[in-house]
Amino acid sequence: MRLNILRHLKAVGHEVTCGEVGNNLNISKSSGSYHFKLLQEAQLITARKEAREKYVMLNPETFDRYSPFF
């Protein structure tokens, strides 16, 4: 699932809400929260919260360093 999230964020190329990612990949809110947390801890994504929404995007520095051919 986390690879699918990374692929989606790479394809989108900009900041999106967690809900948008979840809807596109058919991930439940609780499952998505878990995966986003792990990806953020690994510094593969950046996340910010604005009001009730959480926005995520690929962290290009870390992502490109560890998976340049993704």
PDB file of all heavy atoms in Angstrom, residues 17-34:
ATOM      1  N   THR A  17      -4.449  16.407  -0.493  1.00  0.00           N
ATOM      2  CA  THR A  17      -4.970  15.996   0.809  1.00  0.00           C
ATOM      3  C   THR A  17      -4.869  14.479   0.957  1.00  0.00           C
ATOM      4  O   THR A  17      -4.897  13.737  -0.031  1.00  0.00           O
ATOM      5  CB  THR A  17      -6.438  16.410   1.002  1.00  0.00           C
ATOM      6  OG1 THR A  17      -7.242  15.700   0.074  1.00  0.00           O
ATOM      7  CG2 THR A  17      -6.619  17.911   0.841  1.00  0.00           C
ATOM      8  N   CYS A  18      -4.779  14.058   2.204  1.00  0.00           N
ATOM      9  CA  CYS A  18      -4.764  12.615   2.474  1.00  0.00           C
ATOM     10  C   CYS A  18      -6.058  11.975   1.980  1.00  0.00           C
ATOM     11  O   CYS A  18      -6.044  10.855   1.476  1.00  0.00           O
ATOM     12  CB  CYS A  18      -4.598  12.371   3.970  1.00  0.00           C
ATOM     13  SG  CYS A  18      -2.975  12.818   4.600  1.00  0.00           S
ATOM     14  N   GLY A  19      -7.165  12.692   2.123  1.00  0.00           N
ATOM     15  CA  GLY A  19      -8.449  12.174   1.657  1.00  0.00           C
ATOM     16  C   GLY A  19      -8.470  11.922   0.161  1.00  0.00           C
ATOM     17  O   GLY A  19      -9.040  10.933  -0.304  1.00  0.00           O
ATOM     18  N   GLU A  20      -7.834  12.812  -0.590  1.00  0.00           N
ATOM     19  CA  GLU A  20      -7.769  12.630  -2.044  1.00  0.00           C
ATOM     20  C   GLU A  20      -6.991  11.375  -2.398  1.00  0.00           C
ATOM     21  O   GLU A  20      -7.400  10.585  -3.251  1.00  0.00           O
ATOM     22  CB  GLU A  20      -7.125  13.844  -2.700  1.00  0.00           C
ATOM     23  CG  GLU A  20      -7.013  13.748  -4.200  1.00  0.00           C
ATOM     24  CD  GLU A  20      -6.312  14.945  -4.831  1.00  0.00           C
ATOM     25  OE1 GLU A  20      -6.424  16.056  -4.295  1.00  0.00           O
ATOM     26  OE2 GLU A  20      -5.647  14.736  -5.856  1.00  0.00           O
ATOM     27  N   VAL A  21      -5.866  11.179  -1.728  1.00  0.00           N
ATOM     28  CA  VAL A  21      -5.060   9.980  -1.971  1.00  0.00           C
ATOM     29  C   VAL A  21      -5.871   8.736  -1.600  1.00  0.00           C
ATOM     30  O   VAL A  21      -5.921   7.767  -2.352  1.00  0.00           O
ATOM     31  CB  VAL A  21      -3.736  10.020  -1.179  1.00  0.00           C
ATOM     32  CG1 VAL A  21      -2.951   8.731  -1.364  1.00  0.00           C
ATOM     33  CG2 VAL A  21      -2.893  11.212  -1.591  1.00  0.00           C
ATOM     34  N   GLY A  22      -6.509   8.789  -0.432  1.00  0.00           N
ATOM     35  CA  GLY A  22      -7.311   7.659   0.018  1.00  0.00           C
ATOM     36  C   GLY A  22      -8.429   7.325  -0.947  1.00  0.00           C
ATOM     37  O   GLY A  22      -8.675   6.151  -1.247  1.00  0.00           O
ATOM     38  N   ASN A  23      -9.119   8.344  -1.450  1.00  0.00           N
ATOM     39  CA  ASN A  23     -10.203   8.113  -2.412  1.00  0.00           C
ATOM     40  C   ASN A  23      -9.688   7.502  -3.704  1.00  0.00           C
ATOM     41  O   ASN A  23     -10.314   6.602  -4.271  1.00  0.00           O
ATOM     42  CB  ASN A  23     -10.943   9.411  -2.718  1.00  0.00           C
ATOM     43  CG  ASN A  23     -11.799   9.866  -1.564  1.00  0.00           C
ATOM     44  OD1 ASN A  23     -12.163   9.088  -0.695  1.00  0.00           O
ATOM     45  ND2 ASN A  23     -12.108  11.154  -1.542  1.00  0.00           N
ATOM     46  N   ASN A  24      -8.561   7.997  -4.194  1.00  0.00           N
ATOM     47  CA  ASN A  24      -8.013   7.489  -5.454  1.00  0.00           C
ATOM     48  C   ASN A  24      -7.503   6.057  -5.339  1.00  0.00           C
ATOM     49  O   ASN A  24      -7.503   5.317  -6.315  1.00  0.00           O
ATOM     50  CB  ASN A  24      -6.901   8.401  -5.956  1.00  0.00           C
ATOM     51  CG  ASN A  24      -7.432   9.678  -6.548  1.00  0.00           C
ATOM     52  OD1 ASN A  24      -8.366   9.653  -7.339  1.00  0.00           O
ATOM     53  ND2 ASN A  24      -6.866  10.802  -6.165  1.00  0.00           N
ATOM     54  N   LEU A  25      -7.034   5.691  -4.147  1.00  0.00           N
ATOM     55  CA  LEU A  25      -6.460   4.358  -3.971  1.00  0.00           C
ATOM     56  C   LEU A  25      -7.359   3.417  -3.172  1.00  0.00           C
ATOM     57  O   LEU A  25      -6.932   2.309  -2.833  1.00  0.00           O
ATOM     58  CB  LEU A  25      -5.088   4.482  -3.282  1.00  0.00           C
ATOM     59  CG  LEU A  25      -4.043   5.295  -4.029  1.00  0.00           C
ATOM     60  CD1 LEU A  25      -2.760   5.401  -3.212  1.00  0.00           C
ATOM     61  CD2 LEU A  25      -3.751   4.691  -5.388  1.00  0.00           C
ATOM     62  N   ASN A  26      -8.574   3.857  -2.850  1.00  0.00           N
ATOM     63  CA  ASN A  26      -9.508   3.052  -2.059  1.00  0.00           C
ATOM     64  C   ASN A  26      -8.911   2.598  -0.732  1.00  0.00           C
ATOM     65  O   ASN A  26      -8.926   1.410  -0.396  1.00  0.00           O
ATOM     66  CB  ASN A  26     -10.013   1.845  -2.851  1.00  0.00           C
ATOM     67  CG  ASN A  26     -10.904   2.247  -3.994  1.00  0.00           C
ATOM     68  OD1 ASN A  26     -11.681   3.204  -3.873  1.00  0.00           O
ATOM     69  ND2 ASN A  26     -10.805   1.546  -5.104  1.00  0.00           N
ATOM     70  N   ILE A  27      -8.376   3.545   0.016  1.00  0.00           N
ATOM     71  CA  ILE A  27      -7.794   3.281   1.329  1.00  0.00           C
ATOM     72  C   ILE A  27      -8.726   3.880   2.375  1.00  0.00           C
ATOM     73  O   ILE A  27      -9.149   5.027   2.239  1.00  0.00           O
ATOM     74  CB  ILE A  27      -6.405   3.944   1.468  1.00  0.00           C
ATOM     75  CG1 ILE A  27      -5.464   3.496   0.365  1.00  0.00           C
ATOM     76  CG2 ILE A  27      -5.799   3.656   2.823  1.00  0.00           C
ATOM     77  CD1 ILE A  27      -4.170   4.292   0.307  1.00  0.00           C
ATOM     78  N   SER A  28      -9.001   3.126   3.423  1.00  0.00           N
ATOM     79  CA  SER A  28      -9.827   3.659   4.503  1.00  0.00           C
ATOM     80  C   SER A  28      -9.046   4.764   5.218  1.00  0.00           C
ATOM     81  O   SER A  28      -7.820   4.833   5.151  1.00  0.00           O
ATOM     82  CB  SER A  28     -10.196   2.567   5.506  1.00  0.00           C
ATOM     83  OG  SER A  28      -9.058   2.165   6.242  1.00  0.00           O
ATOM     84  N   LYS A  29      -9.767   5.615   5.911  1.00  0.00           N
ATOM     85  CA  LYS A  29      -9.137   6.733   6.607  1.00  0.00           C
ATOM     86  C   LYS A  29      -8.138   6.245   7.658  1.00  0.00           C
ATOM     87  O   LYS A  29      -7.031   6.763   7.756  1.00  0.00           O
ATOM     88  CB  LYS A  29     -10.205   7.609   7.251  1.00  0.00           C
ATOM     89  CG  LYS A  29      -9.682   8.891   7.805  1.00  0.00           C
ATOM     90  CD  LYS A  29     -10.800   9.794   8.257  1.00  0.00           C
ATOM     91  CE  LYS A  29     -10.214  11.097   8.769  1.00  0.00           C
ATOM     92  NZ  LYS A  29     -11.238  12.074   9.079  1.00  0.00           N
ATOM     93  N   SER A  30      -8.499   5.223   8.416  1.00  0.00           N
ATOM     94  CA  SER A  30      -7.600   4.727   9.456  1.00  0.00           C
ATOM     95  C   SER A  30      -6.361   4.060   8.858  1.00  0.00           C
ATOM     96  O   SER A  30      -5.242   4.256   9.337  1.00  0.00           O
ATOM     97  CB  SER A  30      -8.316   3.763  10.393  1.00  0.00           C
ATOM     98  OG  SER A  30      -8.790   2.637   9.690  1.00  0.00           O
ATOM     99  N   SER A  31      -6.542   3.297   7.804  1.00  0.00           N
ATOM    100  CA  SER A  31      -5.405   2.662   7.139  1.00  0.00           C
ATOM    101  C   SER A  31      -4.498   3.717   6.511  1.00  0.00           C
ATOM    102  O   SER A  31      -3.269   3.645   6.622  1.00  0.00           O
ATOM    103  CB  SER A  31      -5.902   1.693   6.069  1.00  0.00           C
ATOM    104  OG  SER A  31      -4.817   1.084   5.414  1.00  0.00           O
ATOM    105  N   GLY A  32      -5.098   4.712   5.870  1.00  0.00           N
ATOM    106  CA  GLY A  32      -4.319   5.791   5.277  1.00  0.00           C
ATOM    107  C   GLY A  32      -3.508   6.537   6.312  1.00  0.00           C
ATOM    108  O   GLY A  32      -2.323   6.812   6.107  1.00  0.00           O
ATOM    109  N   SER A  33      -4.114   6.841   7.450  1.00  0.00           N
ATOM    110  CA  SER A  33      -3.404   7.554   8.517  1.00  0.00           C
ATOM    111  C   SER A  33      -2.167   6.782   8.960  1.00  0.00           C
ATOM    112  O   SER A  33      -1.100   7.352   9.167  1.00  0.00           O
ATOM    113  CB  SER A  33      -4.316   7.773   9.721  1.00  0.00           C
ATOM    114  OG  SER A  33      -5.354   8.650   9.398  1.00  0.00           O
ATOM    115  N   TYR A  34      -2.334   5.477   9.103  1.00  0.00           N
ATOM    116  CA  TYR A  34      -1.215   4.626   9.506  1.00  0.00           C
ATOM    117  C   TYR A  34      -0.080   4.681   8.478  1.00  0.00           C
ATOM    118  O   TYR A  34       1.083   4.887   8.829  1.00  0.00           O
ATOM    119  CB  TYR A  34      -1.715   3.186   9.687  1.00  0.00           C
ATOM    120  CG  TYR A  34      -0.615   2.192   9.927  1.00  0.00           C
ATOM    121  CD1 TYR A  34       0.035   2.135  11.147  1.00  0.00           C
ATOM    122  CD2 TYR A  34      -0.219   1.307   8.928  1.00  0.00           C
ATOM    123  CE1 TYR A  34       1.048   1.215  11.372  1.00  0.00           C
ATOM    124  CE2 TYR A  34       0.782   0.388   9.138  1.00  0.00           C
ATOM    125  CZ  TYR A  34       1.422   0.345  10.367  1.00  0.00           C
ATOM    126  OH  TYR A  34       2.428  -0.550  10.587  1.00  0.00           O
TER     127      TYR A  34
END
